[in-house]
Amino acid sequence: MLRFCVHYGIHFLVPIAIGLYFYKENRLWAVLLLLAGIMIDLDHLVASPIFDSARCSIGFHPLHTYWAIILYIGLLFFRKTRIVGLALCIHIVADTADCLLM
């Protein structure tokens, strides 16, 4: 239960909190963009089985590879892509926490 709460808490509560606190001018837009980071889980559709509770996503799925993570971190350095990079990095942190709690 702890693993579930930590994983999905980071996926949903952290983006909402960051969007509300740091993006006061465009709160709704920021929260929606930050929550959209969960879209990289679409790469689970190419795995067999699609969901395996004993599998760590990091390093396994195409959008969860170390090369992709480096790209997501790189997005943080450019103003136009910063919020997208932040959304993707939050997602990776959530999945890393999930892996560590296995």
Side-chain angles (χ1 to χ4, degrees), residues 15-86:
I16 291 170
I18 290 173
L20 293 176
Y21 186 78
F22 290 105
Y23 295 92
K24 294 183 190 319
E25 295 175 10
N26 297 313
R27 286 183 177 159
L28 180 61
W29 184 244
V31 168
L32 291 175
L33 279 173
L34 290 168
L35 287 172
I38 204 161
M39 296 296 288
I40 67 170
D41 272 343
L42 289 172
D43 65 355
H44 289 243
L45 295 174
V46 298
S48 181
I50 292 174
F51 177 74
D52 182 1
S53 62
R55 179 175 60 213
C56 179
S57 296
I58 305 298
F60 183 81
H61 299 291
L63 297 176
H64 293 72
T65 61
Y66 297 107
W67 290 110
I69 294 168
I70 291 168
L71 175 68
Y72 304 154
I73 293 169
L75 292 174
L76 295 171
F77 292 99
F78 302 99
R79 185 171 183 180
K80 289 188 176 192
T81 60
R82 186 166 295 142
I83 195 164
V84 174
L86 181 59

